[in-house]
Amino acid sequence: MFTLTERVAPWVIFAPRDDRFLTDQLAVLRERDGLVVHLPARELMEPERLFRAFAHRLGFPSYHGHNWDALVDCLADLHGPSHGRTAVAVMVDDADVLLDASHLPTLVSVLGQAAERANLQLGADGEPTGISPIAQHFVFSLTSTRARDFLDGLEGPEQEVEVADPYLLFTLDMW
């Protein structure tokens, strides 16, 4: 299955919005003073809007470059003074609308890269950063689409995608 409170994979999860297990995981995360951030999927339909939405909702620094590499870097550094929490779950609400988005495979890969770096506290070179790691996960919350419908396009080298109905679990294996 998955956990949102520990620094273990999977990093990206597709799950039904009203799933009891997901609801319980979010409750435990909040009880442990973790942070749950909600992003409406409609704000993520185009990359330019997506970069702005992440930067705004997560309080990225002003030097955020509004590109995929900058998104990885800022998400991987989310442990810093921006929120001071020990764990974070970013919820992409009503993610069904992203099913046919051409940039979805890139987005999921980028989120996986960022979460792997944050959970393991490895730099872009795979070396330890010396910074305390945090539990970081991304959840695509679905209202009517099945998680398995998102499978196409997400499988690739260094990517592990598992269908565990009703979930789709994504992990990156970079190192």
Side-chain angles (χ1 to χ4, degrees):
M1 200 70 76
F2 63 88
T3 176
L4 300 178
T5 59
E6 304 296 326
R7 295 181 299 108
V8 295
W11 310 132
V12 181
I13 299 137
F14 290 78
R17 177 181 61 200
D18 296 325
D19 181 71
R20 181 71 180 161
F21 184 76
L22 174 60
T23 302
D24 291 348
Q25 284 291 308
L26 291 168
V28 170
L29 180 67
R30 287 182 181 107
E31 287 170 8
R32 295 182 183 177
D33 201 30
L35 179 67
V36 178
V37 176
H38 290 270
L39 286 165
R42 69 181 179 283
E43 293 183 15
L44 310 181
M45 294 297 293
E46 296 88 29
E48 297 76 22
R49 289 182 63 205
L50 179 149
F51 300 133
R52 284 193 304 269
F54 271 91
H56 174 73
R57 289 276 193 327
L58 293 166
F60 288 173
S62 59
Y63 57 81
H64 175 255
H66 295 275
N67 60 56
W68 296 114
D69 290 335
L71 185 59
V72 170
D73 291 341
C74 287
L75 288 170
D77 279 344
L78 200 55
H79 62 276
S82 63
H83 70 72
R85 306 279 182 150
T86 58
V88 63
V90 176
M91 300 291 299
V92 178
D93 296 322
D94 302 317
D96 308 68
V97 300
L98 294 170
L99 180 61
D100 295 320
S102 62
H103 64 281
L104 182 65
T106 302
L107 173 60
V108 172
S109 178
V110 162
L111 297 179
Q113 290 172 51
E116 183 156 296
R117 285 175 50 187
N119 280 282
L120 304 178
Q121 261 324 304
L122 300 175
D125 58 1
E127 294 297 317
T129 63
I131 299 171
S132 296
I134 63 165
Q136 182 182 82
H137 298 86
F138 298 90
V139 179
F140 286 73
S141 176
L142 306 171
T143 56
S144 59
T145 309
R146 296 177 316 158
R148 68 173 47 251
D149 293 342
F150 284 82
L151 187 59
D152 288 342
L154 296 185
E155 296 177 297
E158 300 176 347
Q159 300 175 149
E160 297 176 22
V161 183
E162 176 187 353
V163 176
D165 278 330
Y167 313 108
L168 184 66
L169 310 173
F170 179 89
T171 303
L172 207 58
D173 187 16
M174 295 173 40
W175 319 109

